[in-house]
């Protein structure tokens, strides 16, 4: 079916009454006309298709495919509307390994179909097809699987790719075996003894292992196993966005969750309270440290696994996305022997990674570096890293007090949370130490008023603060499918308004870029991430504003007059350079 279209002149197909043209019947209603109605093709393009159809004696829809006026996804979405069948996007679909067990790979490849979901209560198998009107294939599947077949239209090339990926995923056989075993045991709520027997078996171990292998391959930062009413949803956080990639059948839920709890050193017979654990997992040459957390929900325990790489090293500041004036100002600040440097942003904006990069730059045998973190995310050779442990009395405040008796040169405090930590950080900087920390504010200018609100003395802040870094993380455009396009005029005006003199190209020469989506980036159009930054060095003028308790708007206005590039401006510059997209920058940096 790949590359073909519905033979629109066939009288057995819906809405086939048309007018004869050049010896063949062209329908009034076809894929091209649907695209025209939805304004996905222009009237002149439709006229061109009609001319091409007559000249080559082919259908309008065949001409539409050949000329590639729209991409395959838009074409087959319109085809689904024409034939009255639901459309599914295979590239973003979570597949059920249980559904895949109904159809052997050889059959899937022969008919270019793939099952993706199974409803046990209704005995319904959902199947994506190149041609949902192929009744022979549908009847064959009904007989072979002994299920009710629910058909969906999908892009033929995507089905072909999904067959290759999903049947190689390695869970089809394991899920089948695990389901057999749980049926033999005959229990749905397992006790400690029975569950221990199941989790030692190869199928369950393989399911857990494959879930983690996929996480490493796709460079995911977190894995979520979420029990639902009828299945277990597996989602991966890739480049900051959650994607549902897998759906496990309900009967294997307890076994898989218990397998992970045993690996993490948790109690498998405790389901009522949240638990935490950790373990290491090695796949090929990569080893990751997994921080595991469980949470009781109405459908069972949810598990979240945070993946922390044990190899690869800490990126440099330019690799993170710092450059130009911002990089120069930050490097000047960290070379001072004492003072406070704060990284600001919401959770997950890369603050700790930035501070690790700074510490790696300063880390030599001549300085004593102490860090106080919750938790210690990466090991930095040559530094002394301490983890917060309130159970034994190690908090940010008590740890910081102990640090001052350890002859430090540089101190990193994971987060400033209260007035006690703020005061101790200020006292440490006043006594000749360089102090780094993080703060949850939306931008660099908001950090100073926040510290004052916490109770910090303005005259002490004015004399100790070196600089403040505001940051976010945006997704990079995938280099394998990046394409340039001409932006609309209103967008160019918005870029010019925000960037001002920083935009050095004429408006009519502006070009932007986007990722079309490919196998390499999981059809998201993005691969990897880049930081967008604003660095606010505390000058004499800004110190005077701190003393007068000026609000964040006044502080930002003064910083910009001194040459600070804001996060949004930094993001827009990276958009013009083709590093990220305008939508992505607005998603992370729009106030």
């Amino acid at each position: 079916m790949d590359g073909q279209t519905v033979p629109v002149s066939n009288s057995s197909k819906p809405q086939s009454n048309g007018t004869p043209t050049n010896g063949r019947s062209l329908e009034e209603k076809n894929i091209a006309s649907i695209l025209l109605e939805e304004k996905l093709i222009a009237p002149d393009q439709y006229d061109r298709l009609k001319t091409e159809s007559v000249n080559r004696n082919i259908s309008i829809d065949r001409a539409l495919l050949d000329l590639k006026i729209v991409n395959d996804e838009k074409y087959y979405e319109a085809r689904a509307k024409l034939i009255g069948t639901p459309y599914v996007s295979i590239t973003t679909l979570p597949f059920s390994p249980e559904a895949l067990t109904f159809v052997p790979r050889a059959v899937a490849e022969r008919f270019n179909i793939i099952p993706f979901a199974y409803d046990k209560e209704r005995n319904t198998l959902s199947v994506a097809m190149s041609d949902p009107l192929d009744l022979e294939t549908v009847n064959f599947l009904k007989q072979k699987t002994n299920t009710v077949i629910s058909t969906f239209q999908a892009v033929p090339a995507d089905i072909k790719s999904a067959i290759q990926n999903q049947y190689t995923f390695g869970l089809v056989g394991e899920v089948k075996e695990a389901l057999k075993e749980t049926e033999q045991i005959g229990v749905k709520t397992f006790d400690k003894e029975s569950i221990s027997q199941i989790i030692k078996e190869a199928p369950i171990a393989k399911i857990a292992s494959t879930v983690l292998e996929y996480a490493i391959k796709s460079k995911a930062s977190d894995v979520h196993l979420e029990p639902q009413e009828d299945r277990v949803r597996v989602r991966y956080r890739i480049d900051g966005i959650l994607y549902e990639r897998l759906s496990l059948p309900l009967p294997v839920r307890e076994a898989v969750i218990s397998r992970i709890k045993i690996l993490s050193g948790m109690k498998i017979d405790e389901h009522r309270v949240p638990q935490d654990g950790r373990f290491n997992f090695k796949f090929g040459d990569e080893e990751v440290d997994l921080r595991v957390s469980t949470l009781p929900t109405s459908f069972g325990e949810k598990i979240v696994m945070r993946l922390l790489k044990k190899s690869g090293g800490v990126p440099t500041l330019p690799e993170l996305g710092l450059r130009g004036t911002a990089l120069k100002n930050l490097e000047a600040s960290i070379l001072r022997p004492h003072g406070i440097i704060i990284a600001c942003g919401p959770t997950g904006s890369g603050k700790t990674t930035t501070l690790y990069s700074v510490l790696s730059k300063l880390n030599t045998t001549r300085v004593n570096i102490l860090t106080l973190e919750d938790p210690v995310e990466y090991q930095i050779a040559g530094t002394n890293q301490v983890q917060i442990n309130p159970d034994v009395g190690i908090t940010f405040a008590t740890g910081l007090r102990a640090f001052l008796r350890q002859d430090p040169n540089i101190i990193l405090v994971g987060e400033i949370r209260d007035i006690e930590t703020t005061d101790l950080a200020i006292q440490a900087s006043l006594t000749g130490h360089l102090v780094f920390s993080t703060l949850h504010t939306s931008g660099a200018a908001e950090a100073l008023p926040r510290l004052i609100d916490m109770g910090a003395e303005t005259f002490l802040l004015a004399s100790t603060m070196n600089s403040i870094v505001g940051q976010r993380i945006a997704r990079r455009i995938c280099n394998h499918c990046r394409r340039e396009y001409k932006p609309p005029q209103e967008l160019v005006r918005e870029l010019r308004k925000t960037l001002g003199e920083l935009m050095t190209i004429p408006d009519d020469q502006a070009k932007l870029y986007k990722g079309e989506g490919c196998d390499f980036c999981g059809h998201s159009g993005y691969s990897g991430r880049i930081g967008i930054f604003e660095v606010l060095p505390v000058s004499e003028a800004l110190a005077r504003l701190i003393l007068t308790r000026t609000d964040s708007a006044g502080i930002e206005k003064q910083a910009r007059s001194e040459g600070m590039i804001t996060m949004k401006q930094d993001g827009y510059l990276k958009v013009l350079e083709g590093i990220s997209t305008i939508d992505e920058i607005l998603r992370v940096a729009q106030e």
Side-chain angles (χ1 to χ4, degrees), residues 53-244:
S53 165
V54 172
N55 291 343
R56 292 175 55 194
N57 197 30
I58 58 174
S59 70
I60 284 184
D61 294 340
R62 179 74 251 178
L64 179 62
L65 259 187
D66 291 349
L67 294 175
K68 294 190 178 300
I69 290 175
V70 293
N71 61 31
D72 286 353
E73 188 167 10
K74 296 297 179 192
Y75 177 91
Y76 284 99
E77 275 184 35
R79 183 180 192 266
K81 288 175 185 173
L82 177 66
I83 64 177
T85 303
Y87 174 83
V88 288
S89 176
I90 291 288
T91 55
T92 58
L93 206 59
F95 280 84
S96 162
E98 186 181 11
L100 292 167
T101 63
F102 282 92
V103 180
R105 180 172 182 164
V107 173
E109 287 176 336
R110 180 182 168 192
F111 297 109
N112 205 33
I113 60 162
I114 188 163
F116 59 87
Y118 175 61
D119 186 332
K120 195 170 185 179
E121 285 185 14
R122 297 184 178 85
N123 191 34
T124 301
L125 187 68
S126 298
V127 182
M129 303 181 67
S130 298
D131 184 9
L133 296 179
D134 185 353
L135 298 180
E136 278 186 35
T137 301
V138 174
N139 288 330
F140 171 75
L141 289 173
K142 279 181 185 174
Q143 292 171 6
K144 183 165 184 64
T145 62
N146 200 26
T147 63
V148 177
I149 302 298
S150 180
T151 61
F152 293 79
Q153 176 72 65
V155 177
D158 291 347
I159 295 175
K160 195 173 181 180
S161 177
I163 292 168
Q164 173 69 25
N165 294 335
Q166 294 300 325
Y167 281 95
T168 316
F169 204 71
L171 287 187
V172 179
E174 281 71 23
V175 167
K176 203 170 187 176
E177 287 297 313
L179 287 170
K180 280 182 187 175
E181 286 169 17
T182 52
E183 283 168 9
Q184 287 165 8
I185 290 169
V187 285
K188 286 191 176 178
T189 304
F190 302 101
D191 59 28
K192 189 175 179 179
E193 286 71 29
S194 61
I195 198 71
S196 296
Q197 289 302 313
I198 296 178
I199 60 173
K200 291 175 186 173
E201 299 297 331
I204 295 298
K206 176 67 174 172
I207 290 170
S209 177
T210 307
V211 165
L212 293 175
E213 285 174 17
Y214 183 83
I216 293 174
K217 282 179 186 174
S218 58
K219 296 181 174 63
S221 61
D222 301 85
V223 183
H224 294 237
L225 274 74
E226 301 169 314
Q228 309 285 295
E229 190 173 6
D230 56 346
R231 64 194 175 101
V232 178
R233 181 170 71 171
V234 183
R235 295 195 290 171
Y236 296 87
R237 190 175 293 281
I238 302 168
D239 293 336
I241 306 292
L242 275 172
Y243 296 95
E244 189 175 345

Side-chain angles (χ1 to χ4, degrees), residues 491-524:
L491 184 52
V492 176
R493 283 195 291 270
E494 163 66 15
L495 288 168
R496 174 69 67 186
K497 180 183 173 185
T498 303
L499 290 173
E501 294 179 0
L502 295 171
M503 187 168 170
T504 55
I505 55 172
D507 289 4
D508 58 351
Q509 291 180 24
K511 292 177 184 175
L512 299 187
Y513 301 82
K514 62 182 177 182
E516 293 191 331
C518 63
D519 288 341
F520 182 84
C521 62
H523 296 270
S524 66

